[in-house]
């Protein structure tokens, strides 16, 4: 089987930082290779749920121990197998829901108790079912929005309150409709960008202040000529107060990695992801460490897994 891989490249703003950022191989995923999985992080453990392996939609769940560099299988997700679902964490509990089962977009949600290794169904979305949305947990609440409902891309946002097991609609997001966007969290702020709608890759970039639940637009992702951050089906994560967007799809799969500095609303290119280019990977981050892996390149489904050290010099032997 022949495989064509397209790598996205662009020039760094600072030649001295051109090779800054090092990727280190970690334990290969113990489960079957997959893309479109959901993930969340609790403490120093990252969790992967669901996905698609090229033949089947999956309901298996795995945990990665960041300190021990090993995988362990957990209780299966109790809902229908699916991909393109969301995952997030609130106060030590994981949440997974929405997605696509090969026939329909979904709106059911489940919570995961890591101590008991058990799942429980919670309130379903009180709005249109969808896939390829974004979600995040912050300040004791969950937030869910954007995505594709089977006919249209969406831009609405919803808030989940675990104390009442209920969803309520939020207003105020002025960005474009989209699917397959990316978020990362820095302090009390969540940043959202990338994604695709009506065949176009989107360049608007937004920050959500969780203390006021308001959205503010930031510098567009293509504002500078040497930026190539626009894409879809990427991952976002946080390390030491900086945000990152990695891999994804833009007319082909990508390896490029960009670092966001919230202090001055600027981006800097880092060393490319050192594995194969890919879309629909997963990322774990506990705000001081971050790991990226899985996903697919064309019809090739991947199971490798790397840790990123953004301020180390590139070492091709890692």
């Amino acid at each position: 089987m022949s495989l064509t891989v397209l790598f996205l490249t662009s020039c760094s703003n600072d030649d001295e930082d051109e090779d800054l950022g090092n990727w280190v191989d970690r334990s290969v995923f113990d489960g079957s290779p997959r893309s479109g999985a959901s993930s969340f992080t609790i403490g120093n453990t990252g969790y992967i749920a669901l996905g698609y392996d090229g033949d089947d939609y999956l309901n298996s769940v795995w945990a990665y121990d960041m300190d021990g560099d090993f995988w362990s299988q957990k209780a299966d997700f109790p809902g229908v197998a699916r991909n393109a679902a969301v995952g997030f964490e609130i106060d030590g509990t994981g949440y997974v829901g929405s997605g696509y089962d090969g026939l329909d977009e979904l709106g059911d949600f489940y919570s995961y108790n890591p101590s008991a290794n058990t799942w429980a169904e919670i309130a379903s979305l009180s709005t249109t079912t969808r896939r390829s949305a974004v979600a995040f947990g912050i300040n004791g609440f969950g937030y869910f929005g954007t995505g594709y409902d089977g006919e249209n891309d969406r831009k609405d946002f919803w808030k989940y309150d675990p104390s009442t097991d209920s969803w309520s609609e939020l207003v105020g997001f002025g960005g474009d409709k989209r699917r397959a966007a990316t978020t990362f969290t820095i302090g009390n702020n969540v940043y959202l960008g990338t994604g695709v709608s009506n065949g176009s890759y989107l360049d608007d970039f937004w920050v959500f202040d969780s203390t006021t639940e308001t959205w503010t637009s930031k510098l567009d992702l293509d504002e500078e000529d040497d930026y190539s951050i626009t894409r879809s089906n990427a991952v976002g994560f946080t390390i030491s107060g900086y945000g990152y967007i990695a891999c994804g799809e833009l007319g082909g799969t990508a390896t490029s990695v960009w670092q966001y500095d919230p202090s001055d609303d600027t981006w800097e290119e880092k060393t490319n992801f050192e594995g194969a280019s890919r879309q629909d990977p997963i990322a774990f981050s506990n705000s001081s460490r971050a790991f990226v892996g899985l996903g697919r390149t064309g019809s090739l489904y991947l199971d490798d897994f790397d840790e990123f050290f953004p301020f180390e010099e590139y070492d091709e032997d890692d």
Side-chain angles (χ1 to χ4, degrees):
M1 177 180 66
S2 63
L3 179 66
T4 300
V5 178
L6 174 65
F7 295 90
L8 296 185
T9 60
S10 60
C11 298
S12 171
N13 292 332
D14 187 344
D15 292 340
E16 294 180 358
D17 291 337
E18 186 174 356
D19 293 322
L20 194 60
N22 193 33
W23 292 91
V24 178
D25 292 342
R26 295 304 185 206
S27 177
V28 171
F29 177 52
D30 282 13
S32 59
R34 65 191 66 190
S35 74
S38 305
S39 66
F40 55 86
T41 305
I42 300 176
N44 291 331
T45 303
Y47 293 85
I48 290 176
L50 314 174
Y52 181 70
D53 66 4
D55 295 310
D56 298 309
Y57 292 90
L58 308 171
N59 67 352
S60 57
V61 179
W62 293 80
Y64 175 72
D65 187 302
M66 296 182 185
D67 297 324
D69 187 29
F70 64 86
W71 296 91
S72 56
Q73 191 164 9
K74 299 301 181 181
D76 284 349
F77 178 79
V80 63
R82 68 193 72 186
N83 76 338
V86 299
F88 58 94
E89 178 267 347
I90 305 172
D91 296 334
T93 296
Y95 295 85
V96 172
S98 71
Y100 180 68
D101 65 2
L103 293 173
D104 299 305
E105 282 72 29
L106 305 168
D108 53 334
F109 269 80
Y110 299 79
S111 64
Y112 178 72
N113 182 329
S115 299
N117 186 30
T118 56
W119 291 90
E121 188 169 9
I122 64 171
S124 296
L125 283 172
S126 52
T127 183
T128 307
T129 57
R130 67 193 73 181
R131 56 175 148 148
S132 302
V134 299
F136 48 88
I138 191 167
N139 292 344
F141 299 100
Y143 298 87
F144 172 93
T146 69
Y148 176 68
D149 67 12
E151 295 183 356
N152 300 296
D153 295 320
R154 309 283 302 196
K155 59 176 289 185
D156 53 330
F157 267 86
W158 296 79
K159 176 181 179 179
Y160 177 72
D161 185 343
S163 68
T164 60
D165 187 27
S166 62
W167 295 89
S168 58
E169 188 171 10
L170 294 179
V171 297
F173 177 61
D176 293 325
K177 297 177 180 180
R178 71 193 69 212
R179 69 184 88 169
T182 308
T183 68
F184 52 79
T185 301
I186 302 176
N188 288 319
N189 294 325
V190 180
Y191 295 83
L192 182 152
T194 72
V196 64
S197 185
N198 296 316
S200 297
Y201 296 94
L202 303 175
D203 58 19
D204 55 333
F205 188 56
W206 294 81
V207 60
F208 177 74
D209 184 334
S210 65
T211 61
T212 61
E213 293 186 336
T214 57
W215 291 93
T216 304
S217 62
K218 308 298 287 183
L219 192 70
D220 283 352
L221 298 180
D222 67 348
E223 187 70 20
E224 301 293 337
D225 291 339
D226 53 359
Y227 283 8
S228 61
I229 306 167
T230 53
R231 65 195 65 196
S232 69
N233 303 85
V235 288
F237 53 88
T238 304
I239 303 176
S240 301
Y242 293 91
Y244 298 86
I245 291 176
C247 301
E249 191 274 334
L250 178 63
T253 50
T255 58
S256 58
V257 180
W258 287 87
Q259 175 184 278
Y260 178 73
D261 185 343
S263 68
D264 56 6
D265 193 21
T266 59
W267 294 88
E268 179 182 298
E269 191 174 17
K270 309 300 284 189
T271 301
N272 286 356
F273 181 77
E274 292 174 19
S277 64
R278 66 196 63 202
Q279 65 184 77
D280 298 311
I282 60 93
F284 300 137
S285 174
N286 64 1
S287 295
S288 60
R289 301 178 70 183
F291 304 78
V292 174
L294 310 188
R296 69 179 177 91
T297 296
S299 60
L300 176 63
Y301 290 78
L302 304 165
D303 59 6
D304 55 333
F305 200 67
D306 284 31
E307 182 173 2
F308 185 48
F309 296 88
F311 305 109
E312 290 185 3
E313 292 186 2
Y314 167 68
D315 184 347
E316 62 182 0
D317 295 326
D318 284 331

